[in-house]
Amino acid sequence: MAVRLPRPHRFDLSVALGGLLGGLLLWGLGLATRPHTEVYVLLPGRWPVLLPLLVMSGCELLRRTAPRAALLTGTAAIVLDVVTQGNLVTVLMYTDLMYAAVLYGPPASAHRIPRITGLLSVAGTVVPFALWREPEALLIGVVTGVVAFAPAATGLIVRNHRDAAEAARLRAEQTALLAEMDRTQAVTAERARMARELHDMVANHLSAIAIHSTAALSLDDPKTSQEALVVIRENSVAGLSEMRRLIGILRDSSGDVEPAAAPTLDSLGSLVEGARTNGLDVTLDVAHGTVPAPFELAAYRIVQESLTNALKHAGPGPVAVSLAQRDGLLTVTVTSPYGDRDGPSAPGSGAGLVGMRERAALLDGTFEAGPEDSPAGKIWAVRATLPVHDTVEGDTA
């Protein structure tokens, strides 16, 4: 099977062609680096110079695709060039191969080649001078350093800068990705917050409006219709007020604090009175101390949504609302009759249960909702436990 050579880069092809033409120009002009009378010129004459030049030009084609193979072959060619009268372009192309081997080669070679060429430069300086005791012998180390160590060290410096730039680019991409993920999470969290607020604020009033309007349409009784219209008007006004508060939340530039008009646990009495006006038989039992604002809002919304669900789905019977704070835990319990209701009902999507569960989870609390058996019969129970103790300590500290 034939071995396919890697396709050279366009720039490498230009370097190889330019080096070959430059070397041929010097060869045609008869410009050599050494006279034929030098002792180590074993192949005098013009023609032996061409072989190292051609080999070095071919190695330039592989300077990027196969840098180590190109350097090894080029080293053999430069040794051959030393025993001829030499060509300056051949030496220059070898320095480029040394530079490319460090810049484009494997990381191990990139760090090994400068050390090897540095040792060769030192050895080429010390050993000949120690043997011959002639100042001219120092030129061997100088030439070795210029031809081998200098381009290798330059390639290592450029490679380190290139690697640092690539690492910085990757860090910038990771930072941008993390920022985009944070932005997406923030938008998702804000949308979920807006959805909970919109549902909790408006669903209660719209459910009451739907139920009472259905009753007014189904009963041909002027007194019942008049009472239903009064309830519808009250819930419409209250719903508009809640919508205005929601608009205030959306216009809040910080987005992390509730407006001053946010409902508190002291407003549960008004909430229960509104539920009674809508037709529920509600009892309220509240026993709590100082509760931080986020927990007050969460507890209020859980009670509000539970009463809304009772208004839409509960059967006839009493609805009990209980809040108790013990051992740093605020427990919210709402129970209502579980069964078919006699009057009209409003449709539900289950978003209320999801919102209550999310509110409890955001405060590291627990939430449970479902049917239970009791001495009075089957009931629907909603229970939420919010750990306010740790938060109060943290705020105090």
Side-chain angles (χ1 to χ4, degrees), residues 122-163:
V122 174
T125 303
V126 175
V127 174
F129 182 77
L131 292 177
W132 298 327
R133 299 293 180 176
E134 293 289 340
E136 291 80 2
L138 298 175
L139 294 177
I140 298 177
V142 174
V143 172
T144 304
V146 172
V147 174
F149 177 71
T154 304
L156 182 60
I157 294 173
V158 174
R159 183 181 183 124
N160 289 337
H161 282 287
R162 187 187 65 178
D163 292 344

Side-chain angles (χ1 to χ4, degrees), residues 302 306 352-354 356-357 360-361 365-369 382-385:
I302 291 173
S306 299
L353 293 176
V354 174
M356 289 189 287
R357 184 172 286 106
T366 59
F367 175 82
E368 296 178 355
V382 174
R383 290 186 177 86
T385 303

